[in-house]
Amino acid sequence: MLLCKWCLYLLAVLLSVNYSIGENKKTVLCYVATWAVYRRSQGKFTIGDIDVNLCTHLVYSFFGINETSSSIMSRDPWGDYLTNGRGLGQLKQFVKLKEIAPNLKVMISVGGWAEGSVKFSDIVASTVKKVLFIESIFQFLRQYQLDGVDICWEFPTDRGGIPEDKLNFVTFLKDLRQRLNNDNRILTVLLSGKRYLIDPGYDLVQISKYVDYMSILTFDYNGPWDKKTGVNAPLASDNEFNVEFGIDYLIKKGASPRKMLLGIPTYGHSFNMQYVPDDGNYLGVPSDSGYLSPWTRENGLIGYNEVCYDLATTAGWKELWDDKSSTPFAVNHKKFISFDNQRSVLAKVKLANLKGLGGAMVWTLDTDDFKGLCHANPYAIVTTIRDHLNKEVYKEVMCWLHQIFYHLKEENN
């Protein structure tokens, strides 16, 4: 009789979990690098290439800051707008995606690496400038019927910032949140997953109060700037420069897990090794700056679409797996690439679920295999994220229920 009662209880739990997963799917927030429209060959990415079924939130990146007027501004008017028949008009095309997918949330991001930190620091330190800046954001969202804004300040107190940035960042987010509440719009932020930026820059308890999501930069832990080969987004490592430490540390410092989105890159870093190691240990080999990627046209940065296409079409490449970091890497004589594939992404998704995070952030849609050059279906990386964020939760709950049931059965016998 006791076992039957437990069976009914477990069935109720299972039904509850199944309903919860079906009704409250985890967030997949995807950035779109709008300059990807200027890339060459198979790397050119337009708004029309976006699959609206992949992400819950799309973020149009980036808008800048006009220091004179303390307002947001386009950093590429030709690409963003269409005026008198001139320009690409990407922003309006972006917003129109909601006509295809009404539940999709479309947002803009303000800031980015190129915008720096000093402009943000200056604006949030002044009450007058801050009010003007917040109002410009609010009116821009209304004008273009956007669902929200992402604040990408890289990084408070760093890159020319001041110690007061930590407190000023919070008051800015609080005031922005209050203004956005008038239209029930979304507010997200992009935060670092590195301790040396977290400690001076973020009051995570307060930030968690005012934002809907915190996208975590859990990548760029190693790159060509280190002058030796390394892993872009290691799940674990011998030091603290890894995904798991970054997530755990943010939670320890007060970040709300359910508002955290684990950052997953659809790009890797390339390196030119100074020599080919005889022992087959390719990590930590002295290297020069990375080589120029064919489509993104950046030294040391290469899209997953470029990596997988190279591996499939160019002779000499060898793909290997690093157990410690749970990531792949590829070598071709002195060339070395650290990147993420479906296997490593699945490991990251499992971690996000294990930590009880709100979902995942993708940087960016336009460097995934969006044309399906290497896989049967396009967007192999983002599809893996979307499909497994909820599936893995269900599998883990089922495993847990099975273990409980087995234990009770043994006791009953």
Side-chain angles (χ1 to χ4, degrees):
M1 177 65 72
L2 177 62
L3 183 61
C4 289
K5 287 182 178 179
W6 272 102
C7 286
L8 290 172
Y9 171 73
L10 292 176
L11 179 60
V13 171
L14 178 60
L15 290 172
S16 175
V17 168
N18 193 40
Y19 173 79
S20 176
I21 291 173
E23 292 299 310
N24 299 292
K25 290 186 177 180
K26 292 204 171 186
T27 296
V28 182
L29 183 147
C30 303
Y31 285 89
V32 177
T34 55
W35 58 91
V37 72
Y38 302 116
R39 289 180 185 148
R40 61 175 61 186
S41 185
Q42 303 279 23
K44 181 178 181 178
F45 183 91
T46 69
I47 301 301
D49 288 310
I50 295 175
D51 181 344
V52 296
N53 299 306
L54 291 173
C55 311
T56 58
H57 299 62
L58 288 175
V59 184
Y60 187 98
S61 312
F62 289 104
F63 276 82
I65 299 172
N66 185 319
E67 296 173 276
T68 303
S69 60
S70 298
S71 62
I72 67 169
M73 69 174 188
S74 170
R75 296 182 58 207
D76 177 19
W78 176 271
D80 295 336
Y81 308 128
L82 181 64
T83 306
N84 297 325
R86 298 175 60 82
L88 301 178
Q90 289 193 106
L91 182 58
K92 282 194 174 181
Q93 296 173 42
F94 183 77
V95 175
K96 280 187 176 181
L97 293 174
K98 289 176 64 68
E99 296 177 4
I100 307 170
N103 292 327
L104 178 68
K105 304 301 181 185
V106 295
M107 306 168 58
I108 57 165
S109 184
V110 180
W113 178 262
E115 197 64 10
S117 183
V118 175
K119 291 181 182 180
F120 275 110
S121 183
D122 180 57
I123 281 180
V124 300
S126 163
T127 301
V128 173
K129 291 180 179 180
K130 182 175 61 174
V131 169
L132 290 171
F133 188 53
I134 288 173
E135 189 61 23
S136 77
I137 292 172
F138 180 78
Q139 295 301 334
F140 191 89
L141 298 183
R142 273 193 168 181
Q143 179 182 353
Y144 288 96
Q145 299 180 318
L146 290 149
D147 293 305
V149 63
D150 173 71
I151 300 299
C152 183
W153 180 355
E154 299 188 8
F155 300 96
T157 74
D158 195 54
R159 301 183 68 202
I162 57 176
E164 291 79 8
D165 288 346
K166 185 173 186 176
L167 175 60
N168 292 340
F169 187 33
V170 169
T171 57
F172 165 65
L173 292 175
K174 179 182 178 180
D175 293 347
L176 179 56
R177 169 81 280 164
Q178 290 176 344
R179 189 68 176 107
L180 295 180
N181 281 345
N182 290 344
D183 285 353
N184 195 30
R185 285 190 161 86
I186 301 164
L187 173 59
T188 66
V189 290
L190 192 69
L191 304 180
S192 174
K194 298 175 182 176
R195 173 158 54 174
Y196 73 88
L197 292 168
I198 294 169
D199 284 345
Y202 308 140
D203 182 337
L204 290 156
V205 173
Q206 295 301 315
I207 290 173
S208 296
K209 289 181 182 179
Y210 303 120
V211 302
D212 294 288
Y213 292 110
M214 296 167 281
S215 295
I216 312 302
L217 285 165
T218 38
F219 39 83
D220 284 342
Y221 285 110
N222 302 283
W225 53 86
D226 295 317
K227 303 301 181 183
K228 62 181 179 180
T229 57
V231 178
N232 179 31
L235 195 66
S237 64
D238 291 332
N239 55 32
E240 65 181 49
F241 290 97
N242 63 72
V243 175
E244 187 165 15
F245 178 89
I247 293 300
D248 285 345
Y249 193 71
L250 285 159
I251 294 172
K252 177 183 176 182
K253 297 292 285 188
S256 169
R258 66 182 181 84
K259 290 188 174 184
M260 292 170 62
L261 306 178
L262 189 146
I264 299 177
T266 60
Y267 72 92
H269 286 302
S270 66
F271 303 75
N272 285 313
M273 296 185 291
Q274 293 182 7
Y275 59 83
V276 179
D278 295 331
D279 60 2
N281 184 6
Y282 292 97
L283 292 173
V285 176
S287 66
D288 302 321
S289 60
Y291 60 88
L292 189 69
S293 53
W295 300 335
T296 58
R297 307 300 293 169
E298 294 191 47
N299 278 311
L301 188 147
I302 185 166
Y304 174 72
N305 52 347
E306 297 170 293
V307 175
C308 70
Y309 187 73
D310 251 7
L311 294 179
T313 61
T314 305
W317 282 105
K318 178 169 59 174
E319 184 176 345
L320 302 167
W321 179 264
D322 179 51
D323 285 327
K324 181 172 290 185
S325 64
S326 297
T327 58
F329 61 92
V331 294
N332 188 345
H333 191 50
K334 291 185 178 181
K335 288 183 176 181
F336 175 100
I337 303 174
S338 166
F339 64 103
D340 275 276
N341 61 9
Q342 290 166 291
R343 181 181 174 187
S344 66
V345 164
L346 181 55
K348 289 177 169 65
V349 167
K350 287 181 176 180
L351 179 71
N353 285 330
L354 180 66
K355 302 296 182 181
L357 305 189
M361 172 269 282
V362 177
W363 181 269
T364 58
L365 273 186
D366 45 90
T367 46
D368 197 354
D369 181 23
F370 66 91
K371 288 185 180 293
L373 300 175
C374 318
H375 302 275
N377 297 306
Y379 290 105
I381 298 297
V382 185
T383 299
T384 299
I385 296 168
R386 179 200 64 183
D387 290 351
H388 287 88
L389 264 175
N390 300 294
K391 184 185 295 184
E392 290 302 318
V393 171
Y394 184 78
K395 284 167 63 178
E396 288 168 15
V397 170
M398 286 294 292
C399 180
W400 175 71
L401 291 174
H402 175 77
Q403 290 173 355
I404 293 176
F405 183 78
Y406 178 80
H407 179 71
L408 290 170
K409 184 178 179 182
E410 290 294 305
E411 283 189 350
N412 198 58
N413 290 337

